[in-house]
Amino acid sequence: MKKYRILPLLLIVCLLLTAAFPAAAAKSTADASADAPQSTANVSSDGVPQSTVQAAEGSYVLGSDAVKSALDEKLQANCVLLVDEDSGQYYYTRNIDAKAYPASLTKIMTLLLAVEAVERGDVQLSDTVTAYADCNADMVEGASNADIKVGETMTFEDFLYCAMISSANEACNVVAEYVCGSISAFVQRMNARAQELGCTGTHFVNPHGLPNDDHYTTAHDLYRITKEALSHELFATICNTVKHTVPATNLSDERTLSNTNGLINPESPMYRGYYYEYAKGVKTGHTEAAGYCLVSTAEKDGVRLLCVVLGGKGTARANGTTDFGSFSDTLTAYRWVFSNYGWRDIVSASDLVCEVPVRYGRDSDGVTVRPAQSISAVLPSADTAGAPQFEQQVTIYSERDGKPLEAPVKAGDEVGELTVSYNGTVYGTVKLVAAVDVAVSKGAYIGGHLRAFFTNPIVLVVLLLLVLAVIGYVLWLARRRKQIEAERKRRRRAQMEAAEESRAVYRAWNTVCAGTREGRHVTGLRYLPESNELLVYLDSPSWTQEMTLLREIIRARMERAGAHVDGLVFKTTAPGHTPPAA
């Protein structure tokens, strides 16, 4: 019967393990919270803020109306685009999609393609390149150059510096020929690359930008091209180089190239008096048809700007000098923005955002959450525009997932996130973390988990099935026991009947043996009730032959004595066998 007790014991063990599980879960939850990752602030390694604004293309910065009002009358150029270099948002725009001649700003695309060829390994900066025979074929009088002679040899890198720093048109032809095999193939690549960058109003016919009615672009497209070009370190290095020395060549003495960009080169050979300490790169341009053009960048106190000016005017000053509108407009735009915009915290890491309910807390049923770090953005100063009302979207993970936050909670554990936006523009998303620790009440934790466990519909169904299984097992066990007891009684009754039958046979035999002459030769007998056999022991083998007569006499006498002889089998044994005791 021991085997019938195993099932209930297993069921009891399972229930005990189930009850103990929540206690183990408490420890594992606490360990997991300790390993939760921590957020990082939106600042670079040098401490300068980095924009986290997720702005749609073509959107404007907050307060752009004030920028427009301030700059509209001060800027003279036909096309102006002033953009936040990090977020891509516009501070100021004027005719940014109008077609205009780019002049030498074309060389931004030329240098971009050359740098990409270097990065692909198609060409090397150290390659020795020779100016081919027709490199000056399409030049015009007064076009900027580096006095490169046909047959002159220098490195590919030096040709790039000549093209960008000195704005040498013949150097652009040499670069184009060397990269693509021909100028026409290079120009095709220029136009294809412009389309890849999303330019919709640009068409190039040469690599240098000398006048051609079919050679045009827009301020918007030049921003796209320049943004991509500045993402390449080699391009950024070259365009921001003030001076570069080209070693003596086979046809020329050593050259010292001086950057035409007066914003970064106070000794610019063309545009002096515009040096700006916060400026970096990029390229100047001028033809009579294009006017004075300039693409540049500037950075001050973490605010990074990119400005495109096309169609600037040259205005004579009273002292006989010329004011170049591309530079004066650019400086006006930079100075106004830097004076009226700066990094400001939208959300501070010390702000207490909300209270989040906590289950099984020992001393508290909730925890206050705060941002893991501040969210900063470039915003107008308070006296420029009113403080904007930012929208804050709070997401608490426990509410979102439908799983209550449970103790233990440690200060710094991530419990949600906060997204800050304004008019559909997301200014940043930050993790929300617990401001303080919330210790766990083990009794409440285990009790709560037990209640939750035993009220779980699935668990209830399982428990119901277990109860039904136990009840069924008990009923089966009781029935089985009755069957076993009935079988035991039947066997006992059968044994008693067999014993009584044996006694009746013995009595009948004794009666037979006592009343027959043949009976005296029987030394003993044994009745086997299982096979209904009667073993007869004789004292002489001669009587074995007469057993048939003896059997009939015995059967008749036994029937008269009242013994049941139906099917009784008589067997004789060999002489000398000792009969068992009757």
Side-chain angles (χ1 to χ4, degrees):
M1 296 299 293
K2 291 183 178 178
K3 61 182 181 180
Y4 299 122
R5 303 192 186 106
I6 295 177
L7 181 59
L9 289 176
L10 289 176
L11 294 175
I12 293 173
V13 170
C14 291
L15 291 175
L16 291 175
L17 290 175
T18 302
F21 173 77
K27 184 178 185 303
S28 64
T29 302
D31 293 341
S33 64
D35 296 333
Q38 300 300 315
S39 302
T40 56
N42 59 327
V43 296
S44 62
S45 58
D46 57 3
V48 177
Q50 293 180 327
S51 177
T52 57
V53 176
Q54 303 171 27
E57 183 177 356
S59 65
Y60 285 81
V61 298
L62 288 173
S64 60
D65 290 343
V67 181
K68 182 174 178 60
S69 298
L71 297 182
D72 259 349
E73 294 184 0
K74 297 178 180 179
L75 305 183
Q76 303 300 316
N78 293 331
C79 305
V80 180
L81 174 59
L82 181 62
V83 61
D84 187 281
E85 197 172 355
D86 292 317
S87 69
Q89 289 184 294
Y90 301 155
Y91 287 89
Y92 182 85
T93 61
R94 176 186 289 175
N95 301 326
I96 62 172
D97 291 313
K99 290 184 179 180
Y101 298 123
S104 286
L105 301 187
T106 302
K107 293 162 187 171
I108 297 174
M109 175 62 87
T110 300
L111 191 65
L112 170 60
L113 295 186
V115 167
E116 290 178 336
V118 171
E119 293 174 346
R120 289 194 304 269
D122 296 345
V123 299
Q124 304 294 325
L125 291 176
S126 58
D127 287 351
T128 299
V129 181
T130 301
Y132 64 97
D134 293 333
C135 64
N136 292 300
D138 57 351
M139 297 297 103
V140 297
E141 184 178 355
S144 56
N145 62 80
D147 195 24
I148 297 173
K149 300 175 177 60
V150 173
E152 186 170 4
T153 299
M154 63 180 73
T155 65
F156 184 69
E157 181 179 20
D158 286 331
F159 273 108
L160 296 183
Y161 276 95
C162 288
M164 200 66 175
I165 291 181
S166 293
S167 199
N169 295 298
E170 78 279 24
C172 294
N173 285 339
V174 175
V175 168
E177 179 93 11
Y178 188 71
V179 170
C180 288
S182 68
I183 291 179
S184 60
F186 188 84
V187 170
Q188 288 180 359
R189 179 62 186 137
M190 293 173 70
N191 287 314
R193 191 71 176 101
Q195 290 184 351
E196 291 172 3
L197 295 174
C199 299
T200 57
T202 295
H203 185 261
F204 297 112
V205 297
N206 60 58
H208 41 65
L210 290 176
N212 187 297
D213 290 343
D214 204 28
H215 189 98
Y216 53 82
T217 187
T218 68
H220 198 175
D221 286 353
L222 275 175
Y223 161 65
R224 295 185 174 109
I225 296 170
T226 303
K227 181 181 178 181
E228 173 61 28
L230 288 173
S231 68
H232 299 265
E233 183 178 357
L234 178 58
F235 179 95
T237 298
I238 294 175
C239 78
N240 200 46
T241 299
V242 175
K243 293 183 182 297
H244 177 77
T245 300
V246 177
T249 68
N250 59 326
L251 297 178
S252 298
D253 295 332
E254 179 181 275
R255 296 178 177 88
T256 298
L257 309 179
S258 184
N259 201 314
T260 59
N261 187 352
L263 291 179
I264 64 173
N265 184 10
E267 297 178 356
S268 168
M270 300 179 184
Y271 307 106
R272 296 192 179 187
Y274 298 99
Y275 178 75
Y276 191 53
E277 61 180 314
Y278 306 112
K280 294 181 179 180
V282 175
K283 189 69 188 77
T284 61
H286 171 255
T287 64
E288 185 175 348
Y292 292 95
C293 306
L294 177 63
V295 174
S296 62
T297 69
E299 179 178 354
K300 181 181 179 183
D301 298 332
V303 179
R304 291 164 22 100
L305 305 177
L306 189 153
C307 187
V308 179
V309 176
L310 300 177
K313 298 176 174 57
T315 305
R317 299 191 183 101
N319 60 4
T321 61
T322 300
D323 175 53
F324 300 104
S326 56
F327 283 91
S328 56
D329 282 359
T330 297
L331 287 174
T332 297
Y334 284 156
R335 287 167 176 161
W336 193 92
V337 170
F338 287 145
S339 296
N340 293 278
Y341 276 78
W343 282 95
R344 291 170 52 191
D345 284 348
I346 302 174
V347 172
S348 172
S350 61
D351 293 344
L352 301 180
V353 178
C354 64
E355 185 88 3
V356 178
V358 177
R359 280 187 178 180
Y360 316 129
R362 185 171 63 192
D363 301 318
S364 175
D365 58 359
V367 64
T368 302
V369 299
R370 63 171 182 81
Q373 71 279 326
S374 299
I375 297 179
S376 301
V378 178
L379 300 174
S381 57
D383 56 353
T384 302
Q389 298 299 314
F390 288 95
E391 302 170 9
Q392 295 190 357
Q393 179 180 349
V394 177
T395 301
I396 302 300
Y397 297 147
S398 57
E399 297 176 359
R400 179 194 65 188
D401 301 335
K403 297 179 180 178
L405 181 62
E406 297 180 355
V409 178
K410 293 185 178 180
D413 284 353
E414 294 179 3
V415 298
E417 59 187 41
L418 171 66
T419 298
V420 180
S421 60
Y422 183 82
N423 283 347
T425 297
V426 175
Y427 279 78
T429 298
V430 63
K431 297 293 185 183
L432 292 176
V433 298
V436 295
D437 293 343
V438 177
V440 64
S441 170
K442 293 184 178 180
Y445 187 93
I446 295 174
H449 274 270
L450 283 174
R451 285 192 300 273
F453 180 81
F454 287 108
T455 55
N456 186 310
I458 296 178
V459 174
L460 291 176
V461 171
V462 172
L463 290 177
L464 178 60
L465 293 176
L466 288 174
V467 171
L468 292 177
V470 171
I471 293 174
Y473 172 75
V474 171
L475 293 175
W476 174 84
L477 186 60
R479 182 180 178 184
R480 181 61 178 161
R481 286 179 176 175
K482 289 181 179 180
Q483 291 175 345
I484 293 173
E485 185 65 25
E487 179 66 18
R488 186 183 296 111
K489 290 180 179 180
R490 186 190 65 78
R491 289 182 179 179
R492 187 179 298 114
R493 185 167 52 252
Q495 290 173 356
M496 292 175 63
E497 290 175 354
E500 180 61 29
E501 185 73 16
S502 296
R503 287 192 291 273
V505 171
Y506 287 129
R507 285 195 300 273
W509 174 259
N510 289 332
T511 301
V512 171
C513 290
T516 64
R517 175 178 63 82
E518 296 83 356
R520 66 178 179 275
H521 297 288
V522 178
T523 60
L525 60 84
R526 183 180 183 185
Y527 176 65
L528 303 177
E530 293 84 358
S531 58
N532 199 22
E533 293 179 342
L534 183 65
L535 302 181
V536 180
Y537 295 85
L538 303 175
D539 59 0
S540 174
S542 62
W543 285 103
T544 304
Q545 299 174 359
E546 299 178 15
M547 191 61 196
T548 300
L549 176 61
L550 179 62
R551 184 184 300 116
E552 295 302 323
I553 296 172
I554 291 173
R555 182 182 295 276
R557 295 290 181 89
M558 288 178 67
E559 287 179 351
R560 287 197 296 270
H564 298 285
V565 295
D566 293 339
L568 182 65
V569 178
F570 293 88
K571 288 185 179 182
T572 60
T573 62
H577 285 197
T578 302

